Amino acid sequence: MFVFNNDIPMEDLGEGVSRKVLAYSDNIMSVEVHFEKGAIGAMHSHPHEQLTYVLSGAFEFTIGGETKVVRTGDTLYKEPNIEHGCVCLEAGVLIDTFTPMRKDFV
């Protein structure tokens, strides 16, 4: 199956964050998340496993109480139910992969 980025509407989440749900099945989901400099991904947790790939920009991420700066090309793993969030240091884009898919996103 093919998913063309230009066909997917951007969803404005407010406060400098927007996203596109790229593709998903019951088992997996890919999401593109755009951050303006200074935007915050509030601390939260969920029962899904999550991989985050930094497509561009720089972010200060906190995962399970540990904080590090990540940049283009870095990848983060978030186990289920671990608290995590970020602050965008340089405008950028994250690619999030969830398993199972996030029903609350569709």
Side-chain angles (χ1 to χ4, degrees):
M1 185 164 249
F2 299 91
V3 177
F4 297 98
N5 193 289
N6 288 338
D7 294 338
I8 302 168
M10 184 74 74
E11 179 183 1
D12 185 357
L13 302 178
E15 300 185 27
V17 182
S18 56
R19 76 173 169 221
K20 290 183 175 192
V21 175
L22 301 176
Y24 62 92
S25 71
D26 288 343
N27 300 316
I28 194 166
M29 173 181 270
S30 182
V31 179
E32 181 181 291
V33 188
H34 296 247
F35 285 81
E36 295 174 8
K37 182 178 180 179
I40 296 171
M43 294 297 290
H44 66 286
S45 65
H46 44 74
H48 312 82
E49 278 188 281
Q50 178 180 353
L51 288 175
T52 297
Y53 176 77
V54 182
L55 186 63
S56 63
F59 298 81
E60 181 182 82
F61 260 93
T62 300
I63 303 172
E66 183 175 357
T67 301
K68 294 192 182 233
V69 173
V70 295
R71 300 182 182 281
T72 301
D74 294 334
T75 303
L76 305 93
Y77 170 71
K78 297 151 198 147
E79 64 188 40
N81 303 308
I82 195 163
E83 191 170 43
H84 58 280
C86 69
V87 175
C88 182
L89 304 176
E90 296 173 13
V93 179
L94 303 175
I95 303 296
D96 287 330
T97 303
F98 299 96
T99 185
M101 64 91 78
R102 297 282 305 261
K103 291 181 181 178
D104 56 322
F105 282 16
V106 293

